[in-house]
Amino acid sequence: MKEYSTLDRVDQRILRRLQREGRMTNAELAKAANISPATCHRRTQRLFDEGYIRSVRADISPDKVDRGALVIVGVVLDRSTQESFSAFEAAIRKLPFVLDCHLVAGDFDFFLKIRVKDIADFRSLHGEQLLALPGVRQTRTFFVMKEVVDNAPLDF
């Protein structure tokens, strides 16, 4: 098991800045964190190595790539067993239109976050792919009318 170092104020400043602007150069990040570029590079690399930073990627505007409709889908499986959960999870990972999949407690087993072109696009995916997933007994679909907060930075 990998040991993690504790985050000091400088590490936290680096993480907060990278959350807001992942394209900052090391020099810009060092200046913002009030440390030397060499120290900043070492600390940032350690934050990657220890898993604090999972990845850096572009936040693509869904409308610009014809994925303007956001859909949340609640899924109920026919059985609540580890085998049925595992089979569903393995299958859902293969669907590129699923942005997020969360195992939840309550009335549903999973919640899915899906981006599609429009309602017709979703209807096709739902009928042909989602309902065919292993163990799916029921789905309930929520079309997002307005995204009030989406992918906000972590507060720490």
Side-chain angles (χ1 to χ4, degrees):
M1 183 172 223
K2 188 170 190 165
E3 287 218 15
Y4 294 97
S5 60
T6 57
L7 293 177
D8 63 15
R9 291 170 121 166
V10 173
D11 290 335
Q12 290 178 16
R13 273 197 303 263
I14 290 170
L15 290 174
R16 284 188 191 106
R17 291 303 298 232
L18 286 175
Q19 259 193 140
R20 286 195 305 268
E21 179 54 57
R23 289 189 66 183
M24 293 181 83
T25 66
N26 185 65
E28 292 168 334
L29 184 58
K31 184 175 181 180
N34 201 26
I35 55 177
S36 75
T39 298
C40 184
H41 179 74
R42 279 192 307 276
R43 282 178 173 257
T44 303
Q45 187 59 53
R46 180 180 51 77
L47 292 169
F48 270 102
D49 292 345
E50 293 181 359
Y52 287 100
I53 303 172
R54 295 187 299 196
S55 69
V56 178
R57 63 184 191 177
D59 185 12
I60 307 298
S61 174
D63 292 331
K64 296 286 188 181
V65 293
D66 214 13
R67 295 293 178 271
L70 179 59
V71 185
I72 307 298
V73 180
V75 177
V76 178
L77 299 183
D78 56 9
R79 293 178 321 225
S80 293
T81 65
Q82 186 57 48
E83 294 79 20
S84 61
F85 289 159
S86 293
F88 178 84
E89 291 168 12
I92 203 75
R93 284 186 183 100
K94 296 176 184 173
L95 300 179
F97 55 86
V98 175
L99 302 179
D100 296 312
C101 174
H102 303 280
L103 175 65
V104 297
D107 294 336
F108 296 96
D109 294 312
F110 292 91
F111 272 113
L112 310 177
K113 180 178 172 184
I114 297 173
R115 281 257 180 217
V116 292
K117 178 179 178 179
D118 53 26
I119 292 174
D121 188 23
F122 176 76
R123 186 179 59 239
S124 172
L125 292 174
H126 182 262
E128 296 170 12
Q129 296 183 58
L130 290 179
L131 292 177
L133 289 167
V136 172
R137 183 180 77 196
Q138 174 188 357
T139 64
R140 185 159 311 149
T141 301
F142 305 88
F143 288 93
V144 175
M145 304 299 289
K146 179 180 179 183
E147 296 172 51
V148 178
V149 177
D150 183 45
N151 201 27
L154 294 175
D155 181 30
F156 59 92

